[in-house]
Amino acid sequence: MSQNKQIKYLVEAAIFAALAMVLSFIPDFASWFTPSFGAIPLVLFSLRRGLKYGLLAGLIWGLLHFVLGKVYYLSMSQVLIEYIIAFIAMGLAGLFSVQVKDAIEQNNSKKAISFALLGAIFAVTVRYIFHFIAGVIFWASYAPKGMSAVWYSFTVNGTAGLLTLIFVVIAIFILMQTQKQFFAPKD
Ligand code: 218
C-alpha cells in the first residue's frame, strides 16, 4: 500500500474514533442499560476499511475516554477489559469488510447486507461479552439485593448490547440504501 493511502486510512480511523467519542457524550439516560451510540461510526468504519484499521479506531476510541475523563474506574484490570479490550473488539466488524466490498461490486445487496450485519453482530457481541464478564467480576456489588451477579450483569449488558446492535443495524440499512459506496471505497 502506498504511504499516502496508509496515511489517509489512519486519518480516517482517527476521525471515526473521534466521531464515536462525540456520541459517547450522549448522557446515560438509562444508566448502564444505555446503548453505545459511538458503536455506529466505529462499526461502519470497520466495515469500510477492514480489521486492522477497525481495531485501531476501536483502540483510539477507548483511549479517548481516558483523555476526556470518561472512564468509570473500579480497578486496573476492570479498566483494561472495559476501555481497552472491549473497545478494540468493536473493530472485529472489519473481519467481513472484504466480503461486503465484493458483494457490493457484484451488485449483490442481500449478500452485502448479510455480511455487514454479521460483522456488526460479531463486534457488538464480543464487546458486550467483555462488559458482561467485567460486570460479574467487578460490578456485582451494584446488583439489586437478592439478584445474582451473573443475572444482573447479563440483563444490564445484554440490554445495552442489544440496543446498541439495533442502532448499528439501522445505520447499516440506511447507509447501504443511500450510499453503499461508503463500504466499497475506490481508494
Ligand atoms: C453490570 C455492569 N454495570 C456496569 C458495567 C460497566 N460498563 C458497562 C458497559 C460499557 C462500559 C464502557 C463504557 O461505556 C462499562 C464501563 C458493567 N460492565 N457491568
Side-chain angles (χ1 to χ4, degrees):
M1 201 198 301
S2 79
Q3 209 173 10
N4 270 345
K5 255 188 189 169
Q6 212 169 335
I7 291 167
K8 179 180 173 180
Y9 296 178
L10 288 172
V11 171
E12 277 189 16
I15 291 171
F16 278 87
L19 213 54
M21 192 65 219
V22 169
L23 294 176
S24 288
F25 274 85
I26 294 174
D28 328 346
F29 50 82
S31 170
W32 286 112
F33 292 98
T34 310
S36 170
F37 294 104
I40 297 167
L42 211 107
V43 168
L44 296 177
F45 171 72
S46 302
L47 290 167
R48 173 182 167 89
R49 290 303 183 197
L51 182 64
K52 188 173 115 186
Y53 291 94
L55 296 174
L56 176 69
L59 172 66
I60 298 171
W61 181 26
L63 291 175
L64 283 172
H65 287 75
F66 295 86
V67 180
L68 298 169
K70 291 284 277 183
V71 171
Y72 288 87
Y73 179 97
L74 296 180
S75 76
M76 198 63 198
S77 42
Q78 174 258 335
V79 162
L80 193 71
I81 293 170
E82 297 207 88
Y83 289 94
I84 305 288
I85 298 171
F87 281 86
I88 291 175
M90 293 260 59
L92 290 172
L95 276 173
F96 304 95
S97 68
V98 174
Q99 284 94 327
V100 172
K101 202 177 160 115
D102 287 350
I104 288 171
E105 277 159 10
Q106 297 157 11
N107 251 320
N108 189 340
S109 302
K110 251 201 184 128
K111 189 175 155 194
I113 287 265
S114 303
F115 277 109
L117 295 184
L118 191 61
I121 292 168
F122 187 57
V124 174
T125 304
V126 172
R127 172 179 168 192
Y128 277 88
I129 284 175
F130 284 116
H131 291 311
F132 165 70
I133 294 168
V136 175
I137 302 173
F138 305 103
W139 295 86
S141 62
Y142 292 81
K145 244 198 160 98
M147 195 179 198
S148 79
V150 171
W151 183 240
Y152 172 61
S153 186
F154 183 77
T155 51
V156 168
N157 293 299
T159 305
L162 203 60
L163 292 175
T164 300
L165 187 60
I166 289 171
F167 283 100
V168 174
V169 166
I170 292 171
I172 288 173
F173 270 103
I174 292 174
L175 209 53
M176 277 291 183
Q177 257 149 33
T178 58
Q179 197 59 258
K180 61 179 183 294
Q181 284 316 118
F182 175 89
F183 299 104
K186 298 249 179 311
D187 48 43

